[in-house]
Amino acid sequence: MNKMASIEQNDILAKDADWWRGAVIYQIYPRSFQDSNGDGIGDLQGITRRLPYVAGLGVDAIWISPFFTSPMKDFGYDVSDYRGVDPMFGTIDDFRELVRTAHELGLKVMIDLVLSHTSDQHAWFKESRRSRDNPKSDWYVWADPKPDGTPPNNWLSIFGGPAWQWDGRRCQYYLHNFLASQPDLNFHAPAVQDALLDVTRFWMGLGVDGFRLDTINFYFADKDLRDNPPLAPELRNSSIAPVVNPYNHQEHLYSKNQPENLEFLRRLRMVLNEHGAAAVGEVGDAQRGMELLGAYTTGNDFVQMCYAFEFLAQEQPVAARFASVFAEMDRLGPDGWACWAFSNHDVVRHGSRWNLCPAGLRQFTCLLMSLRGSVCIFQGEELGLPEADVAFEDLKDPYGIEFWPEFKGRDGCRTPMVWEGDTPQGGFTTGTPWLPVAQPHLELSVARQEADPAAILHHYRRMLTFRRGQPALIKGSQGKVEATGDILHFTRSHAGQTLFCAFNLSGTEAEVALPPGRWRQVGTEIGGQAWSAEGRLHLAGWQPCYMLAEEEGADG
């Protein structure tokens, strides 16, 4: 991307209040992206150095996982200072330079905000735990034990065991939905909400364009701390927690998903509007994900986007599964806006999770970029990286250590980015990396793929270029999502343009009927050259196809 093109793109984004709608967001896990000082840990200067590469992919924004001051028990998702940059990542001036560079390249900057909980090392918690009557005594969820000394209810932690930790200073339990070192904030206290909204303003003041909101449905807990009911075995799934975790045995009716959350999100949206910023919320719920996504994103009062875990699940979604998810969204949140992802820092990379062949990887890339909504892609996804095999002795993730070997944790998707293929550390660092560089990844490095016109990296670029040229794929409406055997198909329409999109989600040839009207193929440069005759579209295994309506009325 040349400088003039970057400036023009930045001008367009700056003038578009709805820049987030249909945006492609590139997730950066800072510990593993680029190390600039040889300590083996990625940092902000390293990210800045690699931003031209990210911009060159054709994405619209970056999302940076937490870099705040933290004891790193959960690698930054345990914040001890919301306004500080942890020294391992650099300084606040490094962040300012990162934002300036990103904006020059036409990239919006989104950062992770972890509002539901802090570290137990945060000054707020240190004060709160001192006594039951200090100014911040109600800033966290505290509760007396039952008469027999056991926790106040049956709530469980996602990271294993009870969600309550005894504190001898107050002789009370405090709530932690994650690690015991991550106490949950009490959103029923107005002062807590005010403090967190001020944090949001602080980062927008530094030029941040938006936020990824961690565990957005966990903000409030039931005021009466009622027990969660059991969940019938046939209703359980492992999309939020691994099957070995008893967390899946409860219906989390009271520990999260509370109705008061909507009013806080309304306040948050008003703050975001002050700077034209946008937010994408992570909805962590195995049963009500689509319902909450619809509730949190419908209209202009709450957050702009949310993502649920439907396509972050272990099982490869077949055509019928995609159709059922969108039918559910049409029912529960037809006017909501999703942000779709197949991989992120919390799940096995989807190439390995779904055991995809190279053609399958390319096909799912096309599909992801064609669904109504915005898109997140995780660093290295554009290289087709498989999940890394991290030995137990090299694990850093407490989640994996707790449930090993049935669940190996999240380190396998968090290993360092591979920039070069001819050095053991892949160009990530000159020192010893915090997690081992996966040696099979070296063959898939950026440098090696740049030199190979057939590499998946170029497929991502071609697909993103194609998407940019099709307004219907960015902000368009979406017709009914249907499955005809292994073929998933639907129309996207916007401003007089209608595209018929079809994807063969299998390795065998299949066919589907074209909607009435006159159509011509587009997108052949991304493998979409299919054969059509007599109103039928014939697709090879793992083949996408895009057909553009040549006259009005052919919108399916």
Side-chain angles (χ1 to χ4, degrees):
M1 178 181 292
N2 61 48
K3 186 174 182 180
M4 184 59 67
S6 299
I7 293 172
E8 290 174 355
Q9 178 188 354
N10 192 39
D11 288 343
I12 293 170
L13 289 172
K15 294 174 183 176
D16 185 1
D18 280 349
W19 63 266
W20 51 271
R21 192 181 294 275
V24 178
I25 304 163
Y26 187 88
Q27 182 192 354
I28 294 173
Y29 192 71
R31 294 179 72 92
S32 298
F33 198 58
Q34 178 66 63
D35 173 21
S36 70
N37 59 11
D39 67 354
I41 298 172
D43 47 47
L44 297 179
Q45 287 190 15
I47 294 173
T48 302
R49 173 187 163 191
R50 296 295 187 179
L51 284 179
Y53 163 81
V54 177
L57 293 172
V59 301
D60 302 296
I62 56 171
W63 147 29
I64 310 174
S65 291
F67 51 85
F68 310 110
T69 310
S70 166
M72 298 293 163
K73 297 291 181 62
D74 191 23
F75 302 104
Y77 286 89
D78 49 329
V79 179
S80 57
D81 181 0
Y82 280 112
R83 288 177 166 83
V85 173
D86 195 282
M88 74 169 58
F89 296 124
T91 67
I92 201 74
D93 285 337
D94 291 334
F95 182 74
R96 289 190 177 97
E97 178 63 16
L98 186 160
V99 172
R100 185 192 66 79
T101 302
H103 286 167
E104 282 188 352
L105 291 166
L107 293 169
K108 295 288 189 181
V109 177
M110 307 180 77
I111 64 172
D112 236 314
L113 268 188
V114 188
L115 303 182
S116 68
H117 55 270
T118 70
S119 164
D120 60 1
Q121 300 305 303
H122 198 292
W124 297 347
F125 186 72
K126 290 180 177 180
E127 182 173 353
S128 186
R129 78 190 316 181
R130 281 208 314 260
S131 67
R132 298 190 184 197
D133 58 2
N134 68 79
K136 290 186 172 59
S137 60
D138 66 342
W139 277 42
Y140 293 81
V141 182
W142 294 96
D144 291 327
K146 291 180 178 178
D148 63 359
T150 56
N153 62 30
N154 69 344
W155 296 354
L156 296 173
S157 162
I158 284 186
F159 284 171
W164 296 96
Q165 179 68 28
W166 179 253
D167 185 84
R169 298 166 183 81
R170 291 180 51 144
C171 289
Q172 285 184 305
Y173 285 96
Y174 66 82
L175 177 67
H176 63 92
N177 273 296
F178 299 92
L179 294 175
S181 57
Q182 293 172 294
D184 277 58
L185 285 159
N186 176 24
F187 275 70
H188 292 289
V192 169
Q193 295 189 29
D194 292 343
L196 294 173
L197 294 176
D198 282 344
V199 167
T200 308
R201 291 188 180 96
F202 172 80
W203 289 103
M204 290 189 298
L206 292 178
V208 166
D209 304 292
F211 303 92
R212 181 265 189 181
L213 300 172
D214 188 65
T215 59
I216 191 174
N217 56 315
F218 281 73
Y219 292 168
F220 284 84
D222 176 49
K223 264 189 173 182
D224 297 324
L225 303 181
R226 287 170 283 186
D227 279 352
N228 283 327
L231 185 67
E234 64 271 17
L235 298 178
R236 298 173 192 166
N237 71 65
S238 58
S239 61
I240 304 301
V243 69
V244 294
N245 191 341
Y247 186 83
N248 294 319
H249 292 214
Q250 290 186 358
E251 181 183 359
H252 300 279
L253 195 61
Y254 299 114
S255 53
K256 58 184 180 182
N257 306 333
Q258 298 306 289
E260 296 95 330
N261 208 27
L262 286 172
E263 192 53 43
F264 173 73
L265 295 182
R266 193 188 306 274
R267 293 191 67 197
L268 175 63
R269 180 62 177 267
M270 293 174 66
V271 172
L272 295 174
N273 289 345
E274 294 171 8
H275 289 261
V280 52
E282 175 199 31
V283 176
D285 193 89
Q287 283 75 43
R288 298 179 57 199
M290 298 304 294
E291 174 190 344
L292 295 168
L293 186 156
Y296 291 176
T297 63
T298 296
N300 297 313
D301 291 337
F302 310 118
V303 293
Q304 288 89 344
M305 307 170 278
C306 279
Y307 72 86
F309 282 71
E310 270 66 16
F311 302 140
L312 294 170
Q314 181 65 34
E315 301 79 18
Q316 177 189 320
V318 296
R321 173 60 177 158
F322 278 100
S324 68
V325 168
F326 279 94
E328 187 178 11
M329 187 168 181
D330 288 343
R331 181 173 61 88
L332 297 172
D335 298 321
W337 196 261
C339 187
W340 303 112
F342 294 157
S343 287
N344 68 16
H345 64 293
D346 280 334
V347 298
V348 173
R349 289 184 177 273
H350 70 273
S352 296
R353 198 169 78 242
W354 298 340
N355 193 28
L356 295 175
C357 63
L361 271 174
R362 285 169 167 77
Q363 169 74 302
F364 274 99
T365 301
C366 296
L367 175 55
L368 179 64
M369 301 297 172
S370 303
L371 299 171
R372 178 181 179 270
S374 301
V375 174
C376 276
I377 58 176
F378 181 47
Q379 66 182 50
E381 180 179 332
E382 75 280 9
L383 303 178
L385 295 185
E387 184 80 351
D389 186 14
V390 181
F392 179 77
E393 56 268 24
D394 292 323
L395 283 186
K396 302 295 192 298
D397 181 16
Y399 205 1
I401 293 170
E402 174 72 19
F403 288 105
W404 180 277
E406 287 78 14
F407 174 64
K408 296 185 177 182
R410 302 165 295 179
D411 288 336
C413 67
R414 298 176 176 183
T415 56
M417 185 75 170
V418 281
W419 300 100
E420 304 164 2
D422 55 359
T423 63
Q425 313 303 8
F428 165 70
T429 182
T430 57
T432 301
W434 76 285
L435 279 175
V437 172
Q439 296 308 296
H441 286 184
L442 297 177
E443 294 295 324
L444 299 170
S445 70
V446 172
R448 292 191 179 183
Q449 294 204 32
E450 292 283 15
D452 178 6
I456 192 171
L457 172 60
H458 300 293
H459 176 74
Y460 267 80
R461 288 181 177 142
R462 286 190 293 270
M463 186 59 217
L464 284 163
T465 299
F466 175 70
R467 177 186 170 91
R468 279 185 179 277
Q470 309 297 327
L473 291 184
I474 299 174
K475 296 185 178 181
S477 61
Q478 183 169 275
K480 183 180 179 181
V481 177
E482 298 182 88
T484 299
D486 291 321
I487 295 181
L488 184 74
H489 52 98
F490 49 85
T491 56
R492 299 291 309 278
S493 302
H494 182 70
Q497 182 196 54
T498 295
L499 277 176
F500 176 70
C501 309
F503 308 89
N504 184 359
L505 301 186
S506 77
T508 58
E509 184 178 322
E511 63 177 58
V512 65
L514 279 167
R518 294 177 55 200
W519 303 88
R520 64 179 175 87
Q521 288 191 30
V522 293
T524 56
E525 70 276 12
I526 52 174
Q529 181 68 52
W531 175 53
S532 61
E534 298 178 349
R536 306 290 294 178
L537 189 62
H538 300 262
L539 297 177
W542 296 114
Q543 186 174 34
C545 185
Y546 299 89
M547 305 290 284
L548 181 66
E550 291 194 312
E551 59 185 12
E552 290 189 19
D555 60 2

